[in-house]
Amino acid sequence: MTSPLRKLFGAAAAPTSANGDGTASPLRTPMQKGAGGAGWATADTAAALTPASAGGTRKRLAALSPLGASGLEAVTETEAKKQRALAPDETNGVAGANIASQAGICLPLASQAAAEEALSVPKDLRSAQEDARRANSKLPPYHAECFHYYTSGGGAQYSWPEWLKPEKLRDAQGRRPGELNFSSDTLQVPSEKVQKDSGHGTPMLLQYWKLKTKHFDKVALFKVGKFYEIFYYDAFIAQRECNLKWMNSDKRPHVGFPEMAKHDYAKKLVSAGFKVVVVEQVERVAEKQAKEAVTRENNCVERAPCEVFTKGTLVEPGLLGSGSASYMVYLHFEEVVGGARPTELPFAAVIVDAATAQIYIGRIVDTPDRNALRTLMAQVQPSEVVYSTANLPSEVLGLLRRLPCRPQLSPFQPGCVMAARDRLAKYRTSRRDKFPESVEAVLQNESAMLAGAGVLDYLESVLLGQRVAPFATWDVLDAVCSSSQVSGTANSGKRMILDATALAALEVLETLEGNYRGSLLEFLDQTTMPIGFRLFKQWLCAPLYEAVEIRERQDVVEFFLQRIDLMQQLRAGLKKVPVDLERATSRVWGFALQAERHAVMYEDVTAKRLGDFISLLRAYEQCLHLLRASLPEGIQLPQRLLRITRTNSSGGCLPELQPVISHLSGSVISVTNPKTGKAKFSPAKGADARYDNFCQRIDAVVASLEADLQGIKGMFPHVQLCFVHRPPGFRYEIECDDGALPQAFMTQVDVTSKQRAGKLRFQTQRIKQLLAELDMLEDQREDCIFPFNARLFQEFHAHQAGFRATVRCLAELDTLLSLAAASQGLSGSSCRAEVFQLDDPHAVGTLELRSCSHPVAASKMGNSFVPNDTLLNAASVPATLVVTGPNMGGKSTVLRQTCVAVIMAQLGCRVNARLCRLSPFHRIFTRIGSYDAILEGKSTLLTELEETAAMLAHGGPRSLAVLDELGRGTSTFDGAAIAAAVLDDLGRRVRCPLLFATHYHPVSHAAAQQPGVAAFHLAAEVDEQTQEMTFLYRFLPGLCPASHGHHVARLAGLPSQVLDEARRRSAEFERGDTMAQPATKLLLAQQVAAAVKAGDESALRALFHKSRSPVTA
């Protein structure tokens, strides 16, 4: 393995890159010329590293040498002078290597350990990234990748400033990466004089380093003219992720792309896990020149950061992609009290949907297994998690790094309690609307207050303080997800709780393999609008609990199923809506406070915003027209559908928006852009006095231009003259035939071009002066549109309650149509669930399913799927069922389809069954499947028992619990004892409807004799002659006589001799085992149950050995 020092200094140690198969290949470096093509050569053909100064090499060597910087300098200074005298132009890495060798320093041996300790990054990029993601990593991912490029990824080919080198890099407070409280987003930069002396301090780069002091961990897109330029470490990242071309003429790492591609490349970088900061020019060249004329100084065009993109704070449509919500979650963990093993671990959480300006806040009391946090993460699936570095438990950081959704992790330094209180107080006074009372109740808690203030500070840090926070709506956390442990809210318990375990086991949001395709969400989702999909996902994660609300949804679903044409008409109409109403509305409000130009863009920003606004208003009009046309006043509607589709005057809650839309639309007109010739939107005449004034002055200049043309025509009446325009940059050129005008006249004008058709174009000095005045006036007119837009968008926001209500109504309509469409597409039998509320709060829930199928499996298998009945506390069947059956016989499918049927019923959807009757369940608990959490140090058994502990702690009569083969991963004796004890406690104390599948025959036989327990099994038939087994997949009363493990072994392909021996020993066990006799079996089962209840471990062991003694003898 080549050491980092040989990669940096050795002539034969060319940098390499990893091939797709994991092997190393020579890296093509952009600064070398040769056989690799123009500007490219294979690094291993070079005799030495290319442009790197001897001084830079010597300083890098000093940092890595055991002698230290001063010692190395003293030893090598004389030799360095000799080298410079002998070869003054030789300033590459070979000089440094020669100096070191003549000084008696053994690079490969003496300095290798020091180098690897200082650089501390693997040599291949994938390993560097994986190391940075580990829970115990002290190096932030961005820094790890940067250091990789410097040491092993081709960085040695370039010139680097000292303060960027890994061994010299510090944050703004002087801390090194890995040190306590290291701030990954800041950079310590020397004075401007040092920057200039280093060769990395041009006027533009001085602006660059000023930016990087506060945004170091973000890829900086630095605007230069019409292009975004990317330098140093960021250039390597952007080149790899975006496949950009290197700027071969620059000794600095440097790539770039045109302005129009900003969102395309930024999206690639953000999707790869990087943060991006966009630096724009904030003054025009003409403004710069005017300033220089006053100050007599040659200044660089002013630049400033205008946008920050992170995975959880995206608001631009070009970056968001799909209609699924992109959440940022802010976490604040309280100080733990209560001894070494506290039972309560409270934390505050704030969820932000920046694209729709929605914020949810809550305080959650968690348990040591972090079930509440896991549930929150599973339901929300955040794109980014922001956390306080001061109080995040290490095990939580590991949990976050292992989340399947792979959120971007953003450490953040929050303020103190006093600062948080002041921050929220200022925010309250600046808001147009008050906090809801429920939110104010949550904010009374200190941790929630700190989290709320921290979110506002973080939004400010990503430059969304004026775009999202002022117009955000706040709500309590359980409005977006369900958790029984959300405190400080007026939660009435009207939602079913599906924790992280249930969501995963039932494959609600994604399959066990982590795929969206094949999940219950993918199967049921028939929404046509992004707002509908986001609401539907919330509904699916938290189904209804109140029977009245469930029946209201069911009424709408049945209404549409009886009117398929109407359903299709509405779905087709909603699908044609061209914008995401919720996000587009929030985006317009985000511009309401921008009353002046910030960035100089070559795109017509103001016209685009007005165009987007008009498109949004037309989309609202389109939806309102669709509702009026499809659901006229004469049609009788279900109560819920009437409320969301009728206006207030017709008994519904849909606002009357048409007058507002007409008024706002009348303030904007479409005109032709004089510079490009394309249509653009601008203020209508009379809508803005300042804009009208500029229009009048521009008209006067245009009239003067026309007058000048007429004057020239009067001088040469026989020559055909006319103005021509060449968008986007050339206007008011006079065109005539070449040679048609006298030479004396042509010497007084500026010929701008000559055409192939014998035409030439020119401008007089007067025209050029008028054109400059016209450009200035048009720029000023464009700038005055910013305050007009701000006033117009603020007026739009004044009606925000009505537009938000309309969005909610349309989203609910789309979601109800989705439920109807999904119900229509169910395979086999389907029915409307009969839902009834139990009056007694302590009564055990009931469920009756007849001919029930798993909807996802049945859709794939068709008629070959075998439906089954499942009854819990219904039709004389008790609430606890012990389920037995052969391996692969379908036990897990029955358990899963029962839970899925309950979810669909309480969602308001039809159920894949001939009959479904139930009282609503408050929570579903699952213990299905075998898996471990090796990265958390948890075995399969421990993981299963944690899930079981949640049932025992939080279950109740209105909970539904399913357990599959509890007790695996330990001895048969211990596993059976645990299973029996859990079964008894769930049935007697918790009293929840229960499906308990097990292969422990003593447990199932003993339980079947208990009152309140019934035995069911999945049937199978075995041909005794051929030993072939047929799975019947029928769920029938009674116990399965055997688990038929050797038949499954035959299906798995075990050798015949192994199968024969297994059958022989199985028969031997059956003959010799006292459990084989029915009377003995019953007696022993009763003895085992008594010992389990008494907790007598010695008695259980004695019974176990007694039952096996004939065999062992």
Side-chain angles (χ1 to χ4, degrees):
M1 183 179 291
T2 308
S3 71
L5 279 175
R6 290 188 60 80
K7 289 182 180 290
L8 287 170
F9 305 114
T16 62
S17 64
N19 288 326
D21 58 1
T23 60
S25 63
L27 178 69
R28 295 186 183 277
T29 56
M31 293 301 297
Q32 296 170 326
K33 309 287 184 180
W40 293 91
T42 303
D44 60 1
T45 63
L49 301 176
T50 54
S53 66
T57 302
R58 187 167 61 255
K59 290 175 182 176
R60 185 183 295 123
L61 180 63
L64 302 177
S65 169
L67 299 176
S70 58
L72 181 64
E73 187 68 27
V75 173
T76 61
E77 180 59 30
T78 303
E79 294 299 330
K81 291 180 179 178
K82 292 180 181 179
Q83 289 288 338
R84 287 195 294 270
L86 292 173
D89 295 331
E90 183 176 320
T91 60
N92 56 27
V94 177
N98 290 339
I99 294 170
S101 62
Q102 293 178 25
I105 300 173
C106 182
L107 293 180
L109 298 177
S111 299
Q112 181 173 352
E116 293 183 351
E117 180 179 358
L119 301 176
S120 186
V121 289
K123 299 172 184 60
D124 65 283
L125 178 58
R126 179 173 296 180
S127 297
Q129 293 171 330
E130 290 177 352
D131 284 357
R133 294 191 188 105
R134 291 176 179 167
N136 59 353
S137 173
K138 295 183 178 180
L139 196 61
Y142 176 85
H143 291 67
E145 187 151 345
C146 292
F147 293 175
H148 161 78
Y149 289 126
Y150 182 87
T151 59
S152 308
Q157 316 303 315
Y158 294 99
S159 173
W160 296 86
E162 288 293 313
W163 57 90
L164 268 192
K165 298 176 182 179
E167 64 271 12
K168 299 291 184 66
L169 191 140
R170 303 289 188 274
D171 69 5
Q173 302 302 319
R175 293 180 286 256
R176 300 184 58 174
E179 291 184 359
L180 184 65
N181 295 326
F182 173 74
S183 177
S184 61
D185 58 342
T186 64
L187 175 69
Q188 189 177 74
V189 175
S191 65
E192 289 190 4
K193 182 180 184 305
V194 174
Q195 296 177 42
K196 294 176 181 178
D197 292 343
S198 70
H200 297 272
T202 64
M204 183 187 69
L205 284 179
L206 291 177
Q207 295 176 334
Y208 179 83
W209 297 123
K210 183 179 179 180
L211 167 86
K212 277 295 187 177
T213 58
K214 297 181 180 179
H215 298 278
F216 177 70
D217 63 346
K218 303 175 184 70
V219 177
L221 309 184
F222 208 76
K223 188 66 160 298
V224 181
K226 293 186 178 182
F227 289 82
Y228 290 102
E229 309 296 344
I230 311 172
F231 304 104
Y232 300 105
Y233 290 136
D234 297 343
F236 279 97
I237 294 171
Q239 194 281 327
R240 179 176 66 85
E241 296 294 342
C242 305
N243 196 28
L244 300 174
K245 293 184 178 180
W246 291 99
M247 302 291 186
N248 293 339
S249 60
D250 200 339
K251 292 184 179 180
R252 298 178 295 264
H254 180 191
V255 295
F257 57 84
E259 177 187 278
M260 66 182 68
K262 177 181 72 172
H263 285 166
D264 292 335
Y265 288 123
K267 185 176 182 179
K268 291 182 179 181
L269 292 168
V270 172
S271 298
F274 297 98
K275 299 180 180 180
V276 176
V277 57
V278 181
V279 183
E280 301 285 0
Q281 296 175 184
V282 294
E283 68 174 353
R284 296 189 176 97
V285 175
E287 295 169 345
K288 167 184 170 293
Q289 293 171 347
K291 184 174 63 177
E292 289 175 347
V294 176
T295 61
R296 304 285 183 175
E297 296 179 358
N298 186 14
N299 297 313
C300 188
V301 175
E302 285 190 16
R303 296 178 174 88
C306 293
E307 293 177 293
V308 172
F309 303 140
T310 71
K311 290 183 74 173
T313 59
L314 300 176
V315 296
E316 295 295 333
L319 298 173
L320 284 165
S322 70
S324 183
S326 178
Y327 289 117
M328 182 267 284
V329 176
Y330 188 100
L331 299 175
H332 179 90
F333 291 83
E334 299 180 17
E335 184 178 353
V336 177
V337 294
R341 289 186 59 83
T343 58
E344 294 186 351
L345 300 173
F347 68 94
V350 184
I351 301 174
V352 179
D353 186 350
T356 60
Q358 297 180 77
I359 300 176
Y360 306 91
I361 187 169
R363 178 179 179 268
I364 300 174
V365 180
D366 208 349
T367 51
D369 63 350
R370 299 289 180 185
N371 181 266
L373 178 62
R374 295 174 191 271
T375 300
L376 179 69
M377 295 295 107
Q379 292 182 342
V380 175
Q381 294 181 314
S383 300
E384 182 178 6
V385 177
V386 184
Y387 58 89
S388 169
T389 54
N391 63 16
L392 185 76
S394 58
E395 74 273 10
V396 171
L397 181 59
L399 184 155
L400 297 176
R401 285 177 168 167
R402 292 187 295 269
L403 288 175
C405 57
R406 300 297 292 271
Q408 188 173 52
L409 302 183
S410 301
F412 190 66
Q413 300 288 346
C416 63
V417 175
M418 291 298 295
R421 188 173 288 112
D422 292 342
R423 182 73 175 87
L424 285 172
K426 291 179 181 178
Y427 179 67
R428 286 187 180 94
T429 58
S430 65
R431 277 179 57 84
R432 299 173 181 268
D433 304 312
K434 293 183 178 180
F435 280 138
E437 293 183 2
S438 57
V439 173
E440 288 288 6
V442 175
L443 289 173
Q444 296 306 308
N445 181 270
E446 184 175 293
S447 63
M449 178 186 64
L450 286 168
V455 158
L456 295 175
D457 289 338
Y458 187 73
L459 290 176
E460 196 76 41
S461 72
V462 295
L463 307 183
L464 293 179
Q466 296 300 307
R467 288 194 60 179
V468 173
F471 308 102
T473 59
W474 289 66
D475 205 342
V476 292
L477 190 57
D478 61 353
V480 71
C481 64
S482 63
S483 174
S484 63
Q485 293 141 310
V486 176
S487 62
T489 70
N491 182 15
S492 59
K494 293 185 178 181
R495 296 289 185 274
M496 176 198 288
I497 296 172
L498 295 173
D499 63 12
T501 303
L503 290 172
L506 302 178
E507 301 180 296
V508 174
L509 301 178
E510 58 186 18
T511 64
L512 297 177
E513 293 76 25
N515 301 321
Y516 171 72
R517 185 172 296 278
S519 66
L520 185 61
L521 174 61
E522 189 260 348
F523 175 78
L524 293 178
D525 173 40
Q526 301 292 327
T527 56
T528 58
M529 306 175 75
I531 55 175
F533 175 77
R534 292 193 291 271
L535 180 62
F536 183 77
K537 187 176 179 181
Q538 291 183 22
W539 282 12
L540 187 58
C541 288
L544 294 173
Y545 179 64
E546 296 292 334
V548 174
E549 296 181 8
I550 297 172
R551 286 194 289 267
E552 282 187 351
R553 283 190 191 171
Q554 290 176 326
D555 291 341
V556 178
V557 170
E558 295 301 317
F559 173 84
F560 284 128
L561 289 177
Q562 294 168 11
R563 297 165 179 82
I564 300 299
D565 292 342
L566 174 61
M567 179 178 71
Q568 293 175 347
Q569 179 184 349
L570 285 169
R571 296 186 68 227
L574 294 177
K575 190 174 183 179
K576 293 178 181 177
V577 176
V579 297
D580 185 331
L581 291 175
E582 190 174 29
R583 287 178 174 175
T585 301
S586 176
R587 188 165 180 263
V588 170
W589 291 336
F591 296 129
L593 296 182
Q594 186 182 347
E596 60 183 12
R597 185 201 75 217
H598 291 165
V600 176
M601 305 296 291
Y602 290 90
E603 177 190 23
D604 197 340
V605 175
T606 56
K608 185 178 186 305
R609 290 179 183 175
L610 283 176
D612 292 343
F613 178 57
I614 295 299
S615 298
L616 175 62
L617 294 179
R618 290 174 179 170
Y620 276 110
E621 274 188 318
Q622 179 179 340
C623 293
L624 297 177
H625 175 74
L626 174 67
L627 296 182
R628 288 193 299 269
S630 303
L631 300 171
E633 292 293 335
I635 189 172
Q636 190 71 25
L637 301 179
Q639 182 62 31
R640 189 65 194 174
L641 186 60
L642 184 145
R643 290 185 61 193
I644 64 176
T645 59
R646 292 277 195 262
T647 59
N648 297 325
S649 59
S650 300
C653 61
L654 191 67
E656 299 274 3
L657 289 181
Q658 189 57 56
V660 177
I661 293 173
S662 300
H663 169 70
L664 294 172
S665 300
S667 301
V668 181
I669 60 171
S670 177
V671 298
T672 301
N673 189 330
K675 293 184 178 181
T676 63
K678 298 179 180 179
K680 60 173 287 186
F681 288 92
S682 64
K685 187 175 182 179
D688 186 81
R690 189 180 175 199
Y691 182 85
D692 291 344
N693 178 262
F694 277 115
C695 288
Q696 293 174 2
R697 294 170 63 182
I698 288 171
D699 291 342
V701 174
V702 171
S704 298
L705 287 166
E706 291 292 341
D708 275 27
L709 176 61
Q710 294 302 321
I712 298 173
K713 285 183 177 181
M715 295 171 57
F716 308 103
H718 301 294
V719 179
Q720 187 175 358
L721 301 169
C722 64
F723 276 133
V724 294
H725 308 288
R726 290 182 293 157
F730 299 91
R731 296 186 294 164
Y732 292 101
E733 299 173 300
I734 299 177
E735 184 179 79
C736 66
D737 292 332
D738 193 0
L741 295 175
Q743 186 63 31
F745 177 80
M746 295 304 299
T747 59
Q748 302 174 18
V749 301
D750 184 8
V751 177
T752 56
S753 67
K754 289 187 177 183
Q755 307 299 312
R756 293 181 180 179
K759 302 283 187 179
L760 65 79
R761 296 172 182 175
F762 66 90
Q763 290 176 334
T764 65
Q765 290 301 314
R766 170 66 176 166
I767 289 176
K768 292 174 67 175
Q769 292 173 0
L770 290 171
L771 189 57
E773 183 181 357
L774 180 64
D775 287 339
M776 181 189 67
L777 288 172
E778 288 176 343
D779 286 342
Q780 292 174 344
R781 183 176 66 176
E782 292 303 311
D783 288 348
C784 85
I785 298 180
F786 282 99
F788 167 77
N789 283 0
R791 290 192 300 273
L792 181 64
F793 297 161
Q794 286 173 19
E795 184 178 359
F796 176 50
H797 184 264
H799 302 279
Q800 57 92 17
F803 284 100
R804 289 189 194 275
T806 301
V807 168
R808 288 195 297 269
C809 291
L810 292 171
E812 184 169 344
L813 174 61
D814 188 32
T815 307
L816 291 170
L817 287 167
S818 176
L819 291 178
S823 299
Q824 182 191 20
L826 291 176
S827 177
S829 300
S830 68
C831 70
R832 170 178 175 164
E834 299 177 28
V835 184
F836 54 91
Q837 203 81 40
L838 297 176
D839 296 330
D840 183 0
H842 302 292
V844 178
T846 180
L847 173 65
E848 180 179 359
L849 292 169
R850 302 287 184 179
S851 298
C852 180
S853 303
H854 192 294
V856 181
S859 67
K860 298 177 180 178
M861 299 174 61
N863 294 331
S864 61
F865 189 91
V866 179
N868 279 295
D869 298 346
T870 304
L871 291 82
L872 293 168
N873 194 28
S876 302
V877 177
T880 300
L881 302 188
V882 174
V883 182
T884 57
N887 286 291
M888 298 175 57
K891 297 188 300 299
S892 297
T893 301
V894 169
L895 268 57
R896 284 191 172 97
Q897 75 186 28
T898 302
C899 296
V900 169
V902 171
I903 292 174
M904 292 174 63
Q906 295 187 214
L907 196 61
C909 185
R910 279 198 162 207
V911 179
N912 240 149
R914 178 172 54 82
L915 172 68
C916 175
R917 295 185 72 255
L918 78 158
S919 61
F921 289 93
H922 182 256
R923 184 165 183 169
I924 293 180
F925 293 98
T926 61
R927 159 73 298 283
I928 304 174
S930 175
Y931 50 88
D932 55 26
I934 190 170
L935 295 178
E936 299 179 49
K938 296 180 180 179
S939 66
T940 300
L941 180 63
L942 179 57
T943 304
E944 292 180 356
L945 293 181
E946 284 185 344
E947 296 169 358
T948 305
M951 300 182 191
L952 299 175
H954 305 295
R958 302 297 173 83
S959 303
L960 173 63
V962 294
L963 290 91
D964 187 18
E965 299 185 31
L966 177 66
R968 291 170 296 186
T970 185
S971 69
T972 303
F973 174 81
D974 290 344
I978 292 171
V982 168
L983 174 59
D984 183 70
D985 195 53
L986 286 172
R988 294 177 182 274
R989 182 184 62 83
V990 180
R991 299 172 57 243
C992 62
L994 170 66
L995 288 169
F996 192 96
T998 182
H999 284 291
Y1000 293 127
H1001 294 294
V1003 175
S1004 59
H1005 281 80
Q1009 308 304 317
Q1010 300 297 321
V1013 179
F1016 277 74
H1017 71 283
L1018 271 298
E1021 291 182 350
V1022 179
D1023 189 323
E1024 297 298 336
Q1025 294 182 351
T1026 63
Q1027 294 298 312
E1028 291 186 356
M1029 182 171 63
T1030 302
F1031 296 112
L1032 301 180
Y1033 302 112
R1034 299 297 299 167
F1035 194 50
L1036 302 175
L1039 292 170
C1040 184
S1043 293
H1044 303 290
H1046 51 277
H1047 295 287
V1048 178
R1050 179 178 177 275
L1051 293 175
L1054 265 64
S1056 57
Q1057 64 272 21
V1058 174
L1059 291 173
D1060 293 340
E1061 179 64 17
R1063 293 191 191 96
R1064 186 188 66 78
R1065 295 195 179 190
S1066 177
E1068 181 180 334
F1069 293 158
E1070 289 291 337
R1071 286 193 302 269
D1073 196 339
T1074 57
M1075 289 286 292
Q1077 302 299 323
T1080 307
K1081 179 191 302 183
L1082 175 59
L1083 176 61
L1084 188 59
Q1086 292 173 343
Q1087 293 173 340
V1088 168
V1092 168
K1093 184 176 181 180
D1096 190 344
E1097 183 176 344
S1098 60
L1100 283 169
R1101 291 186 180 277
L1103 289 170
F1104 179 78
H1105 289 299
K1106 177 182 177 182
S1107 67
R1108 311 309 300 175
S1109 58
V1111 177
T1112 55

